[in-house]
Every structure is written in structure tokens, then in C-alpha cells.
Amino acid sequence: MPDTASVGSPGTNDIYSERVLVLDFGSQYAQLIARRVREQHVYCEIVRHDITAERIRELAPKGIILSGGPSSVYEPDAPKCDPGIFDLDIPILGICYGMQLMCDRFGGKVRNASAREYGHAHIKINDAKDLLSGLPDETDVWMSHGDQVEQISGLFRPLASTRTCPVAAMRHVEHKQYGIQFHPEVTHTPLGSQILRNFVITICGCEGTWKLGDFARETIARIREEVGDARVICGLSGGVDSSVVAALLYRAIGDQLSCILVDNGLLRKDEEGAVISEFSSHFKTDLHVVSAKERFLNKLAGVSDPQEKRRIIGYEFIECFKEEATKIKDAKFLAQGTLYPDVIESGAAQDGPAAVIKLHHNVGGLPKELGFDLVEPLRDLFKDEVRKLGIELGLPEDIVWRHPFPGPGLAVRCLGEVTEEKLAVLREADAIVVNEIKSANLYRSTSQCFAVLLPVQSVGVMGDARTYDNAVCVRCVDTDDFMTATWSDLPYEVLARISTRIINEVKGVNRVCYDISTKPPATIEWE
Ligand code: XMP
């Protein structure tokens, strides 16, 4: 059984008393379903599709949602759920594949739709009670399915239909068991939140008591209890996750907290100063800044392979951290900003879906061998919840809304060999990109924006003189999960201002281009 016993993992106390489970059948939207349910202030967890009815009984959720999935119910290896869940007397909502599974289980018929239905559809509602209550007679929804329910058994009755889908929604005649063919969790189903609200509040009877303020209070109390009077070390990176962890711990244990910031010389302009001033003045933590710029740059000298750069930076980071941590007396715990998506995707959630995809490159993570017990107070939260919690804890908006920044820092944006001179150019160009995006009020609507220093020189003309200088590429992307991304459709005037300012203000740059590649096939970073 994977280890989930770190400090800060879910308890059985009040704020978790109302939970809804999402059984994951491989849906790309499972996390989104959980987030939408939590928006109704109901705690929601994603679990394996084959979780036993017995285990569900132990967890005592108020409701169960069967997610969509890419399979067809008649495929020999199609993922199934324990049929016992239908006898638990807990309300169930099947979405897309989840609905087809219910239909198959109760003697209905699922068929391969003649054409895969993907995109906007229009439903007509013929029964606007409980699940579809408050919706108009007709509304737009988002479909994404190959199969669809063709015929339901006498145990169910249809609630809505589309032109091509006779049963777009259904309910069991006796039990609180519902199915919908479309996806209420995506924003393309404008009234989807109302449907999920109807399910969790009206049908499951949840009161909606999951509030981040309560979460903070309970987590702070739990940390106090579990940490006792030991010292906790927290690595700060300037990013939102580690900042929120530190703020939470500071509230819980005050001066028993020691923070370590490794200045690897690869941070953005003024970043180190901002973190230092925040955590030494506002939070007054015992802050250890490890000035390791030269150490990192020496190790990186002559190295241009991206993976080798990552390896060196990761290794040096751990060494620096270890050296500093051993100087801190009585330290027993190490705090980490692990989030719920990391827990799910690493397969470490106790009942969570098995590891399918392992996320990114994980530079900046610390190995277990450091010998500390882990404190992971954010392991139940999604990123948007972490941001809200940060505000709740009094962190400035600037930290809370900061775009993610990779562990290897500017090294993977300074293509080829990393030198101090190149970093200085990149840092200035990057600051202009971020500054202009913020001035145009686009920082919150974009997911990441930065400059990349290309390893090319090109000819230019400045005044009367010919130049042969560096080229900078601007990268700005929109994404929900960083697994796929589109380039941001920035207004021309913003692009023009960025370009003019970089060329005029950053010595050594005479050309600026804009990256218009999506991920995949490109990645967000260039290295
Ligand atoms: P890519 O370039 O893989 O990036 O599309 C996806 C997200 O991950 C970040 N990223 C990293 N984060 N260490 C990190 O901690 C890394 O080595 C690393 N490489 C990329 C990237 O900034 C983006 O948010």
C-alpha cells in the first residue's frame, strides 16, 4: 500500500465528513469533476474505478460520481466498477461512460454512435425535477463520446434528449441513480455547475461545508499536534506552493519553522529579494539564504545539453539544501508543497487511480534519504484552491498569482551553455515581458509568460551602425494543466511594446520573435 501517512494528509474530522467520490474510468476530465464539486464546497476525492463497495462503505461518501472514460462498455477489458456499489443506497451520477456502464448493468443497450459526437449539442429537457431542476426547457451541453445509450431498461426513465441522442439524461425510477451522456464539468456546458450542484446538494443532501478557511484552521491545528515542539524545515522557491506551505506552517508553529532559499543564480530579476523581504519581514521566519550562484555556474560551465543541465542543477540543489539543513538544530520534519494532482498522478493516493502519467521533470524535489518526516499540508488541494488559501493566509497577490517557474530556472531558458552574461541579458528581457503582460492586465488570464534567449545572433541596424546581436523569443501560453497548451493570442500592440522595449532597453538584443507553437508537439519550455 502506498505511503500516505505524512503529516497533513486527510483526517476523518469534520471538514471531511461530507465527501463525494469520483470513480475514475480513465477520463481526461476526472480532476475537473472533482474541482467542480469542490466549488460547491463539498470535499471530493478521485478514487480507482475498481474500489470495492466495502471500502466505499467505510469512507461513507454522500455521493458517488462515475466518470467518463475512453472505453466502450462491451470491450473485453473495459473498466468496470464493483456492482455492489449500486446496492449501497448512496446517490450515484454516471457521466458519459459512467452512464453507459449503469445502463449496461441494468439491462439497457449501448451502441456505437454512427458518428463520434464531439462538441456542442443542444438538449431538450422533458423532466426538470431534481437533477435538472432550475434548467430551462432547452440548453447547450458538451458531448464527447463514441458510444451512447440507445435503450434504457424499465428501471430508468429518460429526462432529456438531443437530436441524435434519445437519452441524454436518465434517472432510476426508485433509487437516486442518474446518468448523463454529456459533460457537466466543462465550461462548454454553461449550466453544468447547476447540474452538479443539484446532484451534490439537493440529491446527496450535502450541506456544502468544505471551506478553505476551515481547512486552514483544521490543518494548522493538525500540524501543531503532529509536529509538537520539533523544528520544521521548508524550502522556499518563490513559487506559490512553497510560499503557501510556509505561511501555513508559520501560522501553526511560528518560530519553530526554518526556511531555506537556495539562490542558484538562476532566479528571475529581483526574485530572491522579493522572497527574502516577504519571509523575513512579513512572516519573520528563520530564513536561511544559501548563496550558491558561483557553485551552480561553475558546475554548468561548458554544459549545453538540457538534460545534463537539469541533472547538475537538481543534484547541486539537493547538496546545498542538505548542507544547510544539517546546520539547523532539532529539525525533524521537512515541509513540501505536494498538491492533489501530484498525489493522484504519482499513484500515492490510498484509493487513488494507479499511476498513469508521471508529471514533469521534478527538479527541485527532495529525496526521502534526507531523513526527515514529511509535512505535506497541501496534498488535498488543487492549484486554484492553493491560491485561494494563500490569500486567506495573507500572502500578497503578487506571490499568490505568480506563474509557475521551473526548478532549473533560467538555465532552461538560456539555450545552450549558461553564462553569467547571457543570464543577465535574459533576466532583463524576461522582466520586460512579464511587466508588459501585467501592465496590459493579461497576467491572470495567461498561464505562463517569459523570455527565452536563443543561441543565435543575427544582423541588425541600429542608428547607422550594423549590429550582430542576440535574438530573444517571447513565449506566452494558456493552459489548464500544463500537459497541453496553446500559445496566447496576445494583442499586437502588446507584442509590439514588448519587442520595442526589449530591443531598446536590453543591450545585446536586436531581434525579438514570438513563439506560436502549441504543446504538443512543442513543449512550453524550450529545453
Ligand atoms: P514543458 O516544457 O514540459 O513544461 O511543457 C510544463 C511545465 O513544467 C515546467 N517545467 C519544469 N518544472 N522542473 C520543474 O520544476 C523542470 O525541470 C521543468 N521543466 C519544465 C514548465 O515551466 C511548465 O510549467
Side-chain angles (χ1 to χ4, degrees):
M1 185 70 72
D3 168 28
T4 52
S6 65
V7 177
S9 53
T12 46
N13 39 23
D14 281 354
I15 52 164
Y16 295 98
S17 66
E18 274 193 350
R19 72 176 91 199
V20 165
L21 299 181
V22 176
L23 270 55
D24 184 7
F25 292 91
S27 169
Q28 54 175 330
Y29 297 133
Q31 289 193 24
L32 203 50
I33 299 173
R35 274 174 52 190
R36 294 280 176 261
V37 171
R38 289 192 189 185
E39 282 168 12
Q40 305 302 329
H41 303 296
V42 172
Y43 180 65
C44 185
E45 257 180 88
I46 302 173
V47 295
R48 295 174 59 100
H49 62 82
D50 55 0
I51 184 171
T52 62
E54 197 42 47
R55 176 71 184 137
I56 293 185
R57 201 195 308 272
E58 279 167 28
L59 292 170
K62 291 269 196 175
I64 297 172
I65 297 179
L66 310 179
S67 83
S71 311
S72 171
V73 282
Y74 298 131
E75 280 168 14
D77 296 330
K80 297 274 160 75
C81 55
D82 180 340
I85 70 167
F86 295 104
D87 303 324
L88 287 174
D89 203 22
I90 298 173
I92 298 180
L93 172 64
I95 296 176
C96 198
Y97 179 82
M99 170 189 190
Q100 292 154 16
L101 207 61
M102 288 167 80
C103 184
D104 179 48
R105 157 91 192 137
F106 291 105
K109 269 206 198 105
V110 175
R111 79 173 159 95
N112 195 257
S114 43
R116 217 181 120 73
E117 195 175 9
Y118 184 83
H120 288 286
H122 196 69
I123 55 164
K124 283 197 170 140
I125 297 173
N126 47 35
D127 185 341
K129 285 195 285 298
D130 51 9
L131 186 68
L132 303 180
S133 137
L135 271 70
D137 295 346
E138 298 189 12
T139 182
D140 287 333
V141 296
W142 183 258
M143 294 282 192
S144 171
H145 61 98
D147 292 0
Q148 70 178 34
V149 168
E150 183 175 57
Q151 200 187 329
I152 47 180
S153 75
L155 292 173
F156 284 87
R157 63 165 199 271
L159 304 178
S161 59
T162 74
R163 208 169 41 79
T164 54
C165 177
V167 191
M170 64 181 196
R171 85 153 282 180
H172 195 285
V173 288
E174 275 173 42
H175 303 298
K176 291 179 174 177
Q177 294 175 358
Y178 301 80
I180 44 182
Q181 183 62 71
F182 54 89
H183 290 270
E185 67 277 19
V186 301
T187 48
H188 309 296
T189 300
L191 297 176
S193 292
Q194 172 74 35
I195 298 173
L196 288 173
R197 183 172 172 75
N198 288 342
F199 180 66
V200 296
I201 306 291
T202 316
I203 296 168
C204 301
C206 293
E207 286 176 23
T209 48
W210 163 258
K211 302 252 162 59
L212 280 171
D214 297 339
F215 172 87
R217 270 190 297 283
E218 291 240 0
T219 306
I220 287 168
R222 195 164 61 237
I223 291 172
R224 265 187 207 140
E225 192 181 317
E226 297 185 34
V227 162
D229 48 18
R231 181 157 287 281
V232 181
I233 296 181
C234 177
L236 284 181
S237 67
V240 54
D241 305 342
S242 67
S243 302
V244 173
V245 169
L248 203 51
L249 278 153
Y250 181 68
R251 284 280 187 90
I253 55 168
D255 59 10
Q256 282 163 249
L257 173 67
S258 292
C259 292
I260 298 180
L261 171 68
V262 176
D263 177 12
N264 55 12
L266 305 166
L267 302 177
R268 288 166 287 192
K269 190 176 177 184
D270 300 331
E271 196 161 30
E272 184 202 349
V275 177
I276 292 176
S277 84
E278 184 61 24
F279 282 89
S280 55
S281 59
H282 192 63
F283 287 100
K284 295 197 173 28
T285 53
D286 170 37
L287 178 62
H288 298 241
V289 180
V290 184
S291 299
K293 184 172 125 189
E294 281 188 8
R295 175 171 173 169
F296 278 81
L297 290 185
N298 286 342
K299 294 281 178 187
L300 286 169
V303 180
S304 49
D305 176 63
Q307 286 313 86
E308 184 60 9
K309 285 192 207 173
R310 275 202 171 77
R311 197 194 59 72
I312 291 171
I313 297 165
Y315 178 82
E316 288 307 316
F317 175 81
I318 290 166
E319 288 303 301
C320 286
F321 198 93
K322 223 163 41 182
E323 285 165 24
E324 195 60 35
T326 49
K327 292 184 199 157
I328 299 173
K329 273 184 64 193
D330 303 326
K332 182 157 179 270
F333 294 92
L334 179 69
Q336 290 210 310
T338 315
L339 304 192
Y340 192 47
D342 307 328
V343 175
I344 300 169
E345 274 148 22
S346 67
Q350 191 177 17
D351 302 294
V356 216
I357 348 148
K358 183 49 212 150
L359 276 187
H360 314 123
H361 326 260
N362 202 28
V363 169
L366 291 160
K368 277 195 165 161
E369 302 78 73
L370 282 184
F372 296 106
D373 290 344
L374 287 186
V375 184
E376 295 179 305
L378 308 182
R379 54 182 289 135
D380 289 343
L381 301 187
F382 289 110
K383 189 87 175 181
D384 49 340
E385 293 171 324
V386 172
R387 292 195 206 278
K388 285 186 198 142
L389 182 61
I391 299 280
E392 190 101 22
L393 293 167
L395 284 172
E397 296 242 336
D398 186 41
I399 290 189
V400 168
W401 288 102
R402 190 166 285 177
H403 287 169
F405 186 59
L410 295 182
V412 289
R413 297 177 180 172
C414 184
L415 307 194
E417 189 186 354
V418 181
T419 64
E420 202 164 347
E421 296 71 38
K422 283 162 95 177
L423 285 172
V425 172
L426 176 58
R427 213 169 258 130
E428 291 305 316
D430 185 69
I432 292 175
V433 174
V434 174
N435 180 278
E436 285 301 328
I437 294 286
K438 282 185 175 167
S439 306
N441 249 334
L442 293 167
Y443 193 75
R444 291 271 282 270
S445 56
T446 52
S447 308
Q448 237 175 330
C449 62
F450 54 88
V452 180
L453 184 64
L454 304 184
V456 282
Q457 276 76 45
S458 77
V459 174
V461 53
M462 275 195 188
D464 289 331
R466 176 185 185 278
T467 57
Y468 189 59
D469 267 337
N470 294 300
V472 159
C473 186
V474 176
R475 181 74 162 142
C476 187
V477 294
D478 300 337
T479 173
D480 276 334
D481 56 6
F482 296 88
M483 307 295 283
T484 61
T486 52
W487 50 277
S488 309
D489 189 5
L490 297 179
Y492 283 162
E493 32 326 339
V494 176
L495 287 169
R497 264 200 309 276
I498 291 174
S499 162
T500 310
R501 279 196 58 197
I502 292 178
I503 291 172
N504 286 346
E505 296 174 32
V506 186
K507 201 162 170 292
V509 179
N510 66 356
R511 195 172 292 269
V512 172
C513 37
Y514 187 51
D515 184 346
I516 51 167
S517 337
T518 55
K519 172 184 180 176
T523 48
I524 295 173
E525 304 290 345
W526 274 53
E527 281 196 338

